[in-house]
Amino acid sequence: MKLKKGEEIEQSNIFTEIVLDNLSREELIDYFISINEKKFRADQVYKWLYSKSADNFESMTDLSKSLREKLATGTRLTKVTLVETTKSKIDGSIKLLLKLEDNNFIESVILKDSTRLTGCISSQVGCRMGCKFCNTAKIGLIRNLSSAEIIRQIQRVNEVALKEYGKELSNLVFMGMGEPLDNLNNLIKALEIILDENGMNFSHRKVTVSTCGISNNISKLFKLKNAPNIAISLNATNDETRNNIMPVNKKLPLNRLLEDIRKLPLPKRKRITFEYVLLKNINDSLEDAKRLIKMLHKIPSKINLIIYNQTEDSKFEQIDYDNVLKFQKILTDAGFSALIRKSLGADIDGACGQLYANYLKKRGKYVD
Ligand code: SAH
């Protein structure tokens, strides 16, 4: 396709302009020094962007007008737009559809329980991990989210939380669309801001990164000043089953994954969460429960047993609740903490593995 002249110029601007909210705190300071501004000006802008969620320069009223104009011409900020919210009639959780600047979409969810409001955050548009039970996998990977898109997403989710529940998010879980550790650099950049007291100021105890198990990248999260909680989507107790349902296992078999996890520099009192989606006749036998006990030996862990959410044309089945309880009992009798997680938001396609269920339909409706 041939672009008209004006379009060419506009396109090239997008690439040459500095995207200010994609810079880390250090990069922001370097940028301000490079334009002959003082370091503390960068700190002021950083606060505006992440502590006060500013999405434009005009609102940064403690900066001079000329500096605001300089920033507005030399740089730009990232836009993530709320398109639609759907509230679950069953449990009050809310699914958000958000639009990115290039007309791609992501979904996020607000999960509400008695004490917490948790934002379930996406890290990619789609996912390339190919887990057989997950709907996001069906669209493949379209692209990574930038760190700014991750942060803007959280700000939009937080605004909806405030509006609907009168309070801000207390927790974040990277369990939305995508594999966070397949987008490591942008995830780390976003986490630095999320966990920074001058940034979004979330405690590391309230933020969880969930991964299908890219273990060499898990260890990189421990280079952060305070590492977030780690959740591993285990979902099987032998390689044959895990290879079948989670192709990532072919690259990193279970014994190596667990060996790597044992080596993590886990701070005192932190535990690794193991997620285990129970799939009928696949990974739900009592032998599986016993193997799980052996596998997690000497790993400070807690187990989340997840009830499978059946999706359209799904090849798997939920197991009976009685059998979930039997599975759980084997684990708790062995001294493990094992909680049963019923996904919230099942009626709004907002539960685990359902995000982006109607991707194409929505895209057609909202792309202008
Ligand atoms: N890629 C990351 C985060 C996204 S998936 C990861 O693999 O952890 C978040 C969680 O949802 C994972 O534990 C996954 O096993 C679970 N999940 C995916 N599809 C599901 C489904 N249909 N029902 C229940 N849980 C599902």
Side-chain angles (χ1 to χ4, degrees):
M1 188 180 80
K2 205 161 177 281
L3 290 168
K4 282 187 232 133
K5 209 155 187 249
E7 282 175 337
E8 264 166 32
I9 292 164
E10 204 178 290
Q11 285 267 332
S12 72
N13 270 348
I14 290 175
F15 296 110
T16 52
E17 263 181 358
I18 299 219
V19 184
L20 211 69
D21 47 5
N22 257 336
L23 304 182
S24 67
R25 184 146 186 247
E26 285 69 35
E27 288 168 343
L28 193 66
I29 293 169
D30 288 347
Y31 174 71
F32 271 69
I33 291 170
S34 79
I35 59 165
N36 294 323
E37 294 289 340
K38 297 237 161 50
K39 174 182 171 291
F40 83 93
R41 294 284 175 214
D43 291 335
Q44 280 176 308
V45 170
Y46 185 84
K47 266 216 149 117
W48 276 110
L49 290 175
Y50 306 118
S51 177
K52 302 183 207 167
S53 307
D55 60 4
N56 63 74
F57 296 110
E58 297 91 82
S59 62
M60 302 183 183
T61 44
D62 53 1
L63 305 182
S64 69
K65 195 158 185 284
S66 67
L67 176 55
R68 278 183 270 161
E69 274 164 13
K70 196 163 154 186
L71 292 175
T73 43
T75 74
R76 67 184 184 88
L77 297 174
T78 302
K79 219 164 128 183
V80 171
T81 317
L82 176 66
V83 176
E84 187 184 87
T85 58
T86 325
K87 195 167 188 171
S88 163
K89 290 193 177 70
I90 303 172
D91 52 54
S93 57
I94 299 174
K95 185 173 74 170
L96 291 78
L97 179 69
L98 300 165
K99 185 170 160 178
L100 309 173
E101 284 169 63
D102 63 354
N103 282 340
N104 272 306
F105 292 87
I106 49 168
E107 291 184 336
S108 329
V109 188
I110 303 173
L111 307 163
K112 184 180 179 296
D113 62 26
S114 52
T115 52
R116 294 171 298 190
L117 269 189
T118 302
C120 181
I121 303 302
S122 292
S123 53
Q124 298 180 313
V125 185
C127 185
R128 62 172 173 162
M129 295 298 124
C131 300
K132 295 288 187 292
F133 45 82
C134 176
N135 240 333
T136 307
K138 288 187 192 148
I139 50 171
L141 178 65
I142 297 178
R143 70 171 175 83
N144 280 331
L145 294 187
S146 68
S147 61
E149 285 172 327
I150 294 174
I151 300 282
R152 295 293 179 194
Q153 172 191 182
I154 297 168
Q155 290 174 341
R156 293 297 85 78
V157 178
N158 205 34
E159 284 156 13
V160 173
L162 257 177
K163 188 166 159 246
E164 293 286 331
Y165 301 113
K167 52 183 184 181
E168 300 195 52
L169 297 171
S170 59
N171 295 59
L172 296 177
V173 291
F174 282 88
M175 294 185 190
M177 293 165 57
E179 168 49 47
L181 296 187
D182 190 33
N183 183 15
L184 183 75
N185 292 343
N186 296 342
L187 175 79
I188 287 191
K189 221 172 197 184
L191 282 171
E192 280 169 351
I193 293 167
I194 291 166
L195 300 171
D196 180 3
E197 58 189 5
N198 294 308
M200 298 181 95
N201 195 24
F202 276 91
S203 156
H204 62 99
R205 290 181 202 89
K206 305 277 171 110
V207 178
T208 301
V209 173
S210 178
T211 174
C212 60
I214 305 178
S215 54
N216 53 343
N217 285 353
I218 303 177
S219 61
K220 293 186 184 140
L221 294 178
F222 287 85
K223 295 199 173 126
L224 286 160
K225 201 169 112 205
N226 284 306
N229 303 314
I230 308 292
I232 312 277
S233 300
L234 198 63
N235 299 341
T237 61
N238 61 48
D239 282 323
E240 196 193 342
T241 308
R242 201 163 192 265
N243 285 346
N244 282 335
I245 59 174
M246 297 180 71
V248 67
N249 196 69
K250 292 178 196 156
K251 286 201 194 121
L252 187 78
L254 277 168
N255 59 353
R256 275 187 40 218
L257 171 64
L258 293 165
E259 205 177 294
D260 289 347
I261 290 170
R262 283 197 175 84
K263 286 190 207 137
L264 291 174
L266 209 60
K268 260 191 198 153
R269 306 221 317 260
K270 272 231 181 197
R271 288 189 284 172
I272 303 277
T273 299
F274 288 90
E275 295 159 284
Y276 198 94
V277 182
L278 286 158
L279 306 167
K280 192 168 185 172
N281 298 332
I282 306 278
N283 64 3
D284 61 335
S285 71
L286 303 184
E287 285 67 43
D288 278 304
K290 287 177 193 156
R291 269 198 298 269
L292 191 53
I293 292 168
K294 282 209 183 117
M295 284 166 76
L296 302 187
H297 182 63
K298 285 208 168 148
I299 303 178
S301 55
K302 44 187 174 181
I303 302 165
N304 280 346
L305 297 174
I306 306 177
I307 308 280
Y308 172 60
N309 288 302
Q310 225 144 326
T311 46
E312 257 174 65
D313 64 34
S314 150
K315 294 191 213 90
F316 304 98
E317 270 178 71
Q318 263 185 17
I319 75 171
D320 295 339
Y321 202 69
D322 277 355
N323 291 335
V324 182
L325 292 173
K326 280 186 196 148
F327 200 97
Q328 181 193 34
K329 188 164 184 307
I330 295 179
L331 303 174
T332 49
D333 283 352
F336 282 89
S337 145
L339 294 176
I340 299 172
R341 299 281 185 198
K342 263 195 234 166
S343 294
L344 300 169
D347 59 328
I348 52 170
D349 285 345
C352 296
Q354 292 188 325
L355 294 185
Y356 242 27
N358 298 312
Y359 168 67
L360 287 171
K361 204 162 80 197
K362 277 166 194 158
R363 205 178 144 78
K365 186 167 162 196
Y366 290 111
V367 170
D368 33 53

